[in-house]
Amino acid sequence: MASYPPAGLPALYAQISTRAAELTVAAIERMRAEIPAYARLDPALLLPDAVRTIEQLIRTASEGRELTERELAVFTGHGEARGRQGVPVTEMFRGWRLAVRMVLDEVVDAGRRLAISDRRLLELTNELVALTDAAILAMARGHLDAEFDLARHDQQRRADLVRGILFGTLGPGEIRIQVERYGVDSDREYRAIRARPRSAVPADRLVRWLEPPTGDRPRSLLAVIDGDIAGIVAGFPTGDIGTAVGIGPAARLDRMEPSFRRATRAMATADAFELTGVHDLADLGLLPAVLADSEVGEEVVRRYITPLGENDSATALLDTAEHYLSNGMRVDQTAREMRLHTNTVRYRLRRFQELIGIDLADPDRALEAWWALQRRRLHRAHRE
């Protein structure tokens, strides 16, 4: 820092120090008048930190040195306090610039009364600006830490609320109070939803898809639960998001547990069978039962799949039978889907029935064969 003659500089700093509290009060009044975030705060919450801030800057400048790490930590604490009080970082910067400008104006006025040259006053103000730059960087770090901590706590609070709704552990009154914080209408019905993130469809993309911009009130409340995105939505999401999403029936928020149970089962089924998009239990047919009842599944696999062995010929027969049953037992549709001649399809189906010893025209045998083929599909997806 520059060296100043003792005749003028100590007197200048002494004058500024004696007016530090008065300057701070004036700065806070202007901040509250011009900056909305500060207008909402009690001046008593701001004054102590603000006075210490101004006094620290003046003291450091008078000693001709830079701020120490310990002193910078104090500024970091001031920034953290503003962040926890809900002052946006842009408005904190605006308030800081306003206060610093008032101090610099006072320095110039007092310096001229003491006949300090303009050149030296310019050097002094540049030093003060350098100090304030270091201080505001420290305050910004504190503000960022506070924002991160608040966001983390809000995420945890939101997750606890969503869990309480979905698992049925919160009562109606408690739900009503807590959802108001997020602007959710507690009087309407919602659907439970659960979606599985993938590498191509990360959690943040899922949340944006499930929380589209709306008008007056949020139409969803979501959180991460056991690695999945889960929560409530007001409507049935449309479009294919590229991953498995399960949805339950509409219900009141205090009766959401059965809806979430169905949504979870629908998502697990869709995920196991490599289906994407939004599914409820109804549109999945018997697939949830195929997934859940492994004992029946293994029995029909031994009856309809195992006897054919594991070779290319068996694979061709089983693939054809699976497509045939999934296409409503239509040979023409199966041939188009598999890009085969209809006679090839008929031959493979006949051969499958001969080797297994069944007639697919029998509804019971056809259902059992379909069940076995779906279990084979699960095994194949698991291996892949």
Side-chain angles (χ1 to χ4, degrees), residues 31-325:
M31 289 159 62
R32 285 174 49 79
E34 299 178 18
I35 304 174
Y38 283 97
R40 296 190 295 267
L41 297 179
D42 184 348
L45 297 175
L46 301 171
L47 188 58
D49 284 351
V51 170
R52 283 193 295 269
T53 296
I54 298 300
E55 289 176 342
Q56 181 65 66
L57 288 175
I58 296 171
R59 183 166 56 251
T60 304
S62 68
E63 295 170 358
R65 60 177 178 82
E66 297 180 350
L67 291 164
T68 66
E69 289 297 322
R70 184 174 181 179
E71 289 164 347
L72 288 172
V74 174
F75 286 97
T76 300
H78 296 342
E80 184 176 352
R82 299 297 85 77
R84 293 190 178 280
Q85 290 165 346
V87 178
V89 68
T90 54
E91 298 202 2
M92 184 182 75
F93 288 162
R94 184 180 167 195
W96 177 257
R97 286 194 299 269
L98 187 153
V100 168
R101 173 50 57 192
M102 292 180 67
V103 171
L104 291 176
D105 289 344
E106 181 65 21
V107 167
V108 171
D109 290 344
R112 286 173 175 165
R113 287 194 299 270
L114 293 170
I116 296 175
S117 70
D118 287 346
R119 179 181 63 82
R120 289 176 175 170
L121 283 176
L122 178 61
E123 291 174 353
L124 177 57
T125 55
N126 285 338
E127 290 175 7
L128 283 171
V129 168
L131 285 175
T132 59
D133 285 346
I136 193 59
L137 285 175
M139 292 178 69
R141 285 194 296 271
H143 196 285
L144 182 62
D145 289 344
E147 284 185 330
F148 179 80
D149 194 42
L150 289 172
R152 182 165 54 83
H153 282 295
D154 182 70
Q155 289 174 354
Q156 185 59 53
R157 186 167 56 240
R158 177 189 290 251
D160 290 342
L161 171 58
V162 171
R163 282 179 177 273
I165 292 172
L166 297 180
F167 296 152
T169 58
L170 292 177
E174 195 170 1
I175 290 174
R176 180 183 296 275
I177 293 172
Q178 292 199 43
V179 298
E180 279 298 320
R181 178 185 296 119
Y182 300 99
V184 172
D185 184 357
S186 59
D187 292 325
R188 67 171 300 165
E189 291 188 337
Y190 294 85
R191 292 171 175 263
I193 199 161
R194 187 164 186 168
R196 178 141 297 168
R198 298 179 183 271
S199 57
V201 191
D204 58 341
R205 182 182 168 194
L206 268 176
V207 170
R208 288 195 300 271
W209 182 67
L210 292 169
E211 290 186 335
T214 56
D216 298 334
R217 281 181 176 253
R219 295 174 58 82
S220 60
L221 185 63
L222 305 170
V224 177
I225 294 181
D226 299 332
D228 296 325
I229 301 300
I232 58 169
V233 292
F236 200 107
T238 58
D240 189 348
I241 187 59
T243 190
V245 181
I247 194 167
R252 293 183 58 84
L253 291 179
D254 59 329
R255 301 175 184 176
M256 194 58 63
E257 191 272 336
S259 180
F260 181 60
R261 190 169 59 246
R262 293 168 70 92
T264 296
R265 190 172 182 187
M267 185 209 67
T269 302
D271 185 56
F273 285 98
E274 300 180 309
L275 303 175
T276 61
V278 184
H279 300 273
D280 60 17
L281 283 180
D283 69 57
L284 290 169
L286 290 175
L287 290 180
V290 173
L291 176 64
D293 201 332
S294 58
E295 292 181 353
V296 170
E298 295 312 311
E299 286 299 324
V300 292
V301 165
R302 279 193 288 271
R303 169 69 177 86
Y304 293 93
I305 307 296
T306 305
L308 296 180
E310 295 184 8
N311 51 62
D312 292 342
S313 176
T315 298
L317 297 181
L318 292 169
D319 286 348
T320 304
E322 181 180 340
H323 282 82
Y324 175 69
L325 292 171

